[in-house]
Amino acid sequence: MELTLLGTGAGRPSRLRNVTSMALKLPAPSTSVWLFDAGEGTQHKLLETPLKLNRIDRIFITHLHGDHVFGLPGLLSTRAYDGGVDPVTIYGPPGLQKMVETLFELSGTHIAYDIHYVETIEGLLFDDGHYRVEAAELEHRVPCFGYRITEYDRPGRLDVDKLQAAQVPAGPLYGRLKAGNDIELPDGRTVCAKDVMGPSIRGRIVTILGDTKPCEGAVRLAHDADLLVHEATFAAGLEEKAEAYGHSTTLQAAEIAKRAGALKLVMTHFSSRYELADANRLADEARTIFPVTDAASDGDVFAVPCRS
């Protein structure tokens, strides 16, 4: 499971940072990529990665400010040319469907695959037995949401020593045991899956927040997250400005991570006033409160850690 930051800037593109978007690649055997926000230029940034546009089957939009959504219509249009014929589901605040469909209508754009729109509300949005996605409203100048992605616990690893001791022949029977099914051997003995498998592997939790000032919704979504992505539009000392615009500072992002008991914090959505050379300083500010912090740059890839 990997998260790629496609754009880490706030408000407008700059020479150094594009506006907000990030992609979550689900682990094998899944081939799915989930996109979170799609600021202008997102599809260009995808071209710089190994990620394939036609693998994106779910898109989660946090809010309708342009730096988070203006790249969506173009991306959806290009997806068909990139072999994307399977349906895509888009989650977002009220008005998102109208915005996209109006632009398609006025521009004469025809989409050859199905687009399903789901209006984001607080609570459970999606659950397929492998992943669960929940949303909560944040505090910004327009309706804005954060998303919590929970991976279900996975079966433990097969204990090869125990399998050999039980004289289980390698092959399909291993697969059945791995799937949690008991098997019967040719000599009539039964081998129970629970007896030859290690403990289950804890599922990972990723929390991706939209623009927000510090709020309880952010803490709830980030509770025990293995990876928390939180905006840090401003440096420490600019709390009044952050409050006025519905944003957070580096220290405020770190406080949320600490309160929530997150494992790792990735900060993004930096004001264009900051150069890339400022990234270490911004990260160091947050690390005074929450040591496991990174200040992301465009193109950074973060493997989602897993608690032991």
Side-chain angles (χ1 to χ4, degrees):
M1 185 184 285
E2 293 180 339
L3 184 72
T4 300
L5 277 293
L6 300 169
T8 57
R12 58 183 179 177
S14 69
R15 291 185 301 106
L16 304 173
R17 296 184 187 274
N18 196 41
V19 286
T20 299
S21 182
M22 62 201 80
L24 182 66
K25 180 183 178 183
L26 302 184
S30 174
T31 60
S32 292
V33 175
W34 292 355
L35 190 69
F36 292 82
D37 284 339
E40 180 183 356
T42 292
Q43 62 176 308
H44 293 85
K45 286 291 186 177
L46 277 167
L47 294 174
E48 301 172 7
T49 76
L51 302 173
K52 301 299 183 183
L53 187 55
N54 61 3
R55 296 298 186 188
I56 296 175
D57 54 14
R58 296 186 189 274
I59 300 173
F60 299 84
I61 301 298
T62 61
H63 64 296
L64 298 187
H65 277 159
D67 59 329
H68 293 255
V69 77
F70 280 172
L72 180 60
L75 182 146
L76 292 172
S77 178
T78 302
R79 183 177 181 269
Y81 292 98
D82 200 29
V85 296
D86 295 326
V88 62
T89 302
I90 305 176
Y91 305 80
L96 176 63
Q97 180 175 356
K98 180 180 179 182
M99 184 197 77
V100 175
E101 291 184 345
T102 298
L103 184 57
F104 284 165
E105 179 183 355
L106 295 177
S107 63
T109 300
H110 175 68
I111 302 297
Y113 57 86
D114 291 334
I115 301 177
H116 305 295
Y117 293 91
V118 177
E119 189 172 296
T120 300
I121 57 173
E122 289 214 347
L124 183 65
L125 289 179
F126 169 74
D127 189 337
D128 67 353
H130 300 285
Y131 297 93
R132 183 173 71 252
V133 180
E134 300 161 278
E137 192 160 3
L138 305 174
E139 294 187 15
H140 192 45
R141 291 172 292 156
V142 298
C144 185
F145 291 88
Y147 297 99
R148 176 184 174 93
I149 306 94
T150 302
E151 177 186 39
Y152 275 74
D153 291 349
R154 291 161 289 159
R157 295 178 175 85
L158 288 174
D159 189 321
V160 177
D161 291 338
K162 289 183 178 180
L163 291 170
Q164 292 176 346
Q167 298 180 325
V168 178
L173 293 180
Y174 276 31
R176 290 176 58 189
L177 288 167
K178 178 69 174 177
N181 299 312
D182 299 340
I183 62 170
E184 183 175 337
L185 299 178
D187 60 9
R189 289 181 297 123
T190 297
V191 177
C192 298
K194 64 180 178 61
D195 294 333
V196 294
M197 292 181 65
S200 62
I201 301 170
R202 178 188 180 276
R204 290 158 286 191
I205 300 171
V206 181
T207 298
I208 297 174
L209 304 180
D211 292 2
T212 187
K213 57 186 179 181
C215 65
E216 290 304 312
V219 177
R220 292 199 310 272
L221 285 177
H223 177 67
D224 281 348
D226 298 293
L227 181 65
L228 166 62
V229 181
H230 197 298
E231 70 126 287
T233 308
F234 298 108
L238 293 176
E239 283 75 20
E240 287 188 9
K241 182 178 285 292
E243 170 73 22
Y245 289 96
H247 289 300
S248 297
T249 67
T250 54
L251 295 184
Q252 290 172 330
E255 287 283 5
I256 294 295
K258 182 178 180 180
R259 288 183 58 197
L263 188 62
K264 180 178 179 64
L265 169 64
V266 172
M267 299 189 301
T268 186
H269 200 267
F270 299 106
S271 167
S272 58
R273 71 177 61 199
Y274 304 113
E275 302 286 335
L276 287 183
D278 295 316
N280 286 338
R281 174 174 65 85
L282 296 172
D284 285 342
E285 288 178 353
R287 288 170 185 153
T288 62
I289 294 174
F290 192 80
V292 189
T293 298
D294 280 308
S297 297
D298 291 14
D300 283 352
V301 179
F302 297 93
V304 180
C306 185
R307 297 172 195 254
S308 57

